[in-house]
Amino acid sequence: MAQPLPFVLDVPETPGDQSQEPSPYDESEVHDSFHQLIREAQEGLELQQRARGAAGSGPHTLSGSEGTRSTATLRILASMPSRTIGRSRGAIISQYYNRTVQLRRRSSRPLLGNLVRSARPSLRMYDLELDPRAQEEEEKQSLLVKELQSLAVEQRDHMLRGMPLSLAEKRSLREKSRTPRGKWRDQRDHGGVCSSCGWLRYACVLTLHSLGLALLSSLQALTPWRYALKRIGGQFGSSVLSYFLFLKTLLAFNVLLLLLLLAFIVGPQAAFPPALPGPVPVCTGLELLTGAGCFTHTVMYYGHYSNATLNQPCGGAPEGGRCSPRVGGLPYNMPLAYLFTVGVGFFITCITLVYSMAHSFGESYRVGSTSGIHAMTIFCSWDYKVTQKRAARLQQDSIRTRLKELLAEWQLRQSPRSVCRRLRQAATLGLVWLLCLGTALGCAVAVHVFSEFTIQSPEAAGQEASLLVLPLVVSLLNLGAPYLCRILAALEPQDSPVLEVYVAICRHLILKLAVLGTLCYHWLGRRVGVLQGQCWEDLVGQELYRFLVMDFVLMLLDTLFGELVWRIISEKKLKRRRKPEFDIARNVLELIYGQTLTWLGVLFSPLLPAVQIIKLLLVFYIKKTSLLANCQAPRRPWLASHMSTVFLTLLCFPAFLGAAVFLCYAVWQVKPSDICGPFRTLDTMYEAGRVWVRHLEAAGPRVSWLPWVHRYLVENTFFVFLVSALLLAVIYLNIQVVRGQRKVICLLKEQISNEGEDKIFLINKLHSIYEKKEREERSRVRTSEAVVPPTLITDERDA
């Protein structure tokens, strides 16, 4: 059976390429060679088709290979846009050079042993005598090099990258077409001072470039917990990994806020410490839990900061306890710095949080469907640059876990649910929701009762250990109520593990909001009214510190008894190998709860973000160790493609927005203490801005623009509403843009499928038409042969 000839496609001129100029180097000769190859291939295909038609082959369908179709169908296939390369200059060069390389590799020289000794040519003249195409190939290659030299460096690299050649041939073409290196090489051959300077400059550039690449790779390697996050994602999947990524995001927010507070509040006050009102208490070690004692008169709390000028002495006698600066100066106003630093820190945190949420939303919701992602995961996930065994093992675990999640999601979509099952699940869901809401309401009532007890018990005022009662009760409620909700959730088995996690997050969030709302009323409502003659800001800051510390302590106990002890009991006593699963919803809400406490306490304890940073670092290493040792991967793997967006949304709207409302109320409405803090003797904290404006107006016309900025940009509520409206508009527009992108992607996918169906339909129609014509021609030939007498046919054959 004859082998099919190679099928070479024509190069039609597309409308998109008409603006490009043709190649100035013998483009007509290039196209002539293309058309000659096409004619040879088509003649061979026609001969094969006639031979098969003579052998009695039936009509061929479209589902067969291209060698079994008719010549007309193959012409139609060759003229399809998906099988042509266009008439751009780079495509012509690439296709032509690929064709010449293939011909060069096919051409084989005859052995010298088969030739007569007298007729054997010399080895030096062998290429010129027996292989004249080698010189033509060299000329064509030189033309290609000239063509590449006429292009820019970026276009040349892009064209070489797209050529279907080996790496050695691409490297050779790049070296030949690179002119600066040749010039420097010539200068080095000629010698001289200029050549030495040029090579020295070139060596310095290469050294700096290599150092930059090494620095970038080292910075990437220094990313916090880089290997640990890869290991967690590979063994436990994207759902558990989303918790640790969220913890890393919270750490970045706290570091950003702490830098601002250290630079503009804590640092200046530590450089100019105020006089202490009395003797410093002796540290007993219990202050690490209570935050009181020797920590009270430090930069840790609001009461330590003064309302005086820090960079110059007072100009006159104090008026009402206030140190008035000298006229004509711009002192470092501590009340103003305190107020504006907290405000700017919250504003930067808000912008960063909104940007992170919008970016995460765009990354997770941009793609409309996951069709074809299984094949991409199988064939395109492996990184061939990985050489270490540990990295290869991590990549294997990651790909295996990813495939499990994708298959679980696909199986979940394929499983139907009956109507009775849906009704039963709805009834169970409503009952469990009522019980969970009742639990949250009971926790809020218990917090309110204990807070009133701590306020009305004067005998507990001098005992530091009694200060831990309210934080301990609240932490126990936050620890026990989620377990009760989890037991109730076992009554309503969800088909989707993602939906199960979302429902658990909603229930835990309602519990946290109820508890925090009661505590905010306790701090700004009851404590301000009861502790009028005391520094109530320090007491609120100490209580928020105790809540953070007690939450961390109970988290350690929960990790110890809830994961480690349960694993030991399960393995030793129950003789089961099944380990507990990592509760994502409860652990994430604990992080959001701790971060909300930090934002609530920034105004009363500027170093509270530092405590939160230490807590997050310890939580990461404790949770990572417990996860790898005591927990197992989810029994029902699920793809957490939107979890990061959900976490950031919960952090932004219930947590950050609630903390911002709490602090705004404290700044605008609550009267500060008269004996401590930078806002003493003021009716509200916001009045410090007005006092500063009056001092600026008395300082002279040089700073007259600052009162204008304060009056129209700070005091004017229209500007605040405008900024809020702009933020909401940005969020809304980003959501609409992502939705529009998803719709466009869906429309493009639908259009691609429709175009494929149109091509198949047209090819089938054309194939049937041409097959019908060929059958008519065959029948016409047979009838003409039947009309001719047999004697004439035998005479023609004899002739």
Side-chain angles (χ1 to χ4, degrees), residues 95-369:
Q95 184 73 7
Y96 180 67
Y97 189 66
N98 184 26
R99 182 61 181 162
T100 54
V101 169
Q102 289 179 359
L103 291 176
R104 186 194 310 166
R105 289 175 181 174
R106 290 177 185 172
S107 61
S108 59
R109 300 173 179 175
L111 299 175
L112 295 178
N114 297 333
L115 300 175
V116 184
R117 187 176 298 272
S118 60
R120 183 178 299 170
S122 63
L123 293 176
R124 182 179 301 175
M125 302 299 293
Y126 179 75
D127 286 338
L128 297 178
E129 294 178 0
L130 297 181
D131 196 5
R133 286 179 295 182
Q135 186 176 2
E136 297 179 1
E137 297 299 333
E138 291 178 359
E139 293 178 357
K140 295 170 184 176
Q141 187 175 2
S142 64
L143 291 177
L144 178 61
V145 170
K146 290 180 181 179
E147 184 70 25
L148 291 173
Q149 288 178 353
S150 64
L151 300 175
V153 179
E154 292 80 6
Q155 296 179 359
R156 185 193 312 159
D157 294 339
H158 181 71
M159 186 180 299
L160 286 173
R161 206 176 291 117
M163 286 184 179
L165 302 175
S166 62
L167 290 177
E169 293 171 341
K170 290 182 180 180
R171 192 179 296 112
S172 175
L173 286 174
R174 185 181 287 109
E175 292 294 332
K176 291 179 181 178
S177 60
R178 188 173 294 171
T179 53
R181 181 171 294 181
K183 292 180 181 178
W184 287 338
R185 192 173 296 167
D186 295 336
Q187 292 178 1
R188 185 188 61 180
D189 296 337
H190 288 89
V193 181
C194 296
S195 61
S196 302
C197 295
W199 274 99
L200 181 61
R201 189 186 306 111
Y202 182 67
C204 292
V205 170
L206 287 181
T207 304
L208 291 175
H209 182 67
S210 60
L211 286 177
L213 293 178
L215 181 62
L216 288 176
S217 60
S218 61
L219 288 177
Q220 186 179 6
L222 291 177
T223 305
W225 315 315
R226 184 166 175 261
Y227 174 73
L229 292 176
K230 287 186 176 181
R231 185 179 179 185
I232 292 170
Q235 294 185 8
F236 297 92
S238 59
S239 57
V240 180
L241 179 63
S242 61
Y243 167 79
F244 291 92
L245 292 177
F246 181 64
L247 191 149
K248 186 178 176 182
T249 305
L250 291 182
L251 185 64
F253 283 131
N254 285 280
V255 169
L256 179 62
L257 184 59
L258 180 63
L259 290 177
L260 287 173
L261 295 172
L262 288 176
F264 297 101
I265 296 180
V266 180
Q269 187 63 62
F272 300 94
L276 297 179
V280 179
V282 180
C283 294
T284 60
L286 193 60
E287 291 83 3
L288 294 176
L289 292 178
T290 61
C294 61
F295 286 170
T296 304
H297 302 290
T298 59
V299 292
M300 183 77 184
Y301 297 111
Y302 165 90
H304 182 76
Y305 295 88
S306 63
N307 64 335
T309 304
L310 298 183
N311 57 352
Q312 68 178 17
C314 295
E319 300 176 0
R322 174 177 294 278
C323 181
S324 59
R326 287 187 292 225
V327 179
L330 278 177
Y332 190 82
N333 195 335
M334 193 61 199
L336 190 70
Y338 199 99
L339 183 63
F340 271 77
T341 303
V342 174
V344 171
F346 263 72
F347 182 74
I348 294 176
T349 304
C350 179
I351 296 297
T352 310
L353 190 58
V354 169
Y355 174 78
S356 302
M357 185 176 59
H359 180 72
S360 178
F361 183 85
E363 289 294 329
S364 58
Y365 287 95
R366 180 171 288 115
V367 179
S369 64

Side-chain angles (χ1 to χ4, degrees), residues 14 36 49 161 217 278 436 666 687 777 799:
T14 59
Q36 184 178 359
Q49 187 69 24
R161 206 176 291 117
S217 60
C436 291
E687 195 177 349
E777 291 178 359

Side-chain angles (χ1 to χ4, degrees), residues 462-484:
Q463 300 177 3
E464 291 188 358
S466 62
L467 299 175
L468 298 174
V469 174
L470 182 61
L472 181 61
V473 170
V474 173
S475 299
L476 286 175
L477 291 175
N478 285 327
L479 180 64
Y483 279 105
L484 180 60

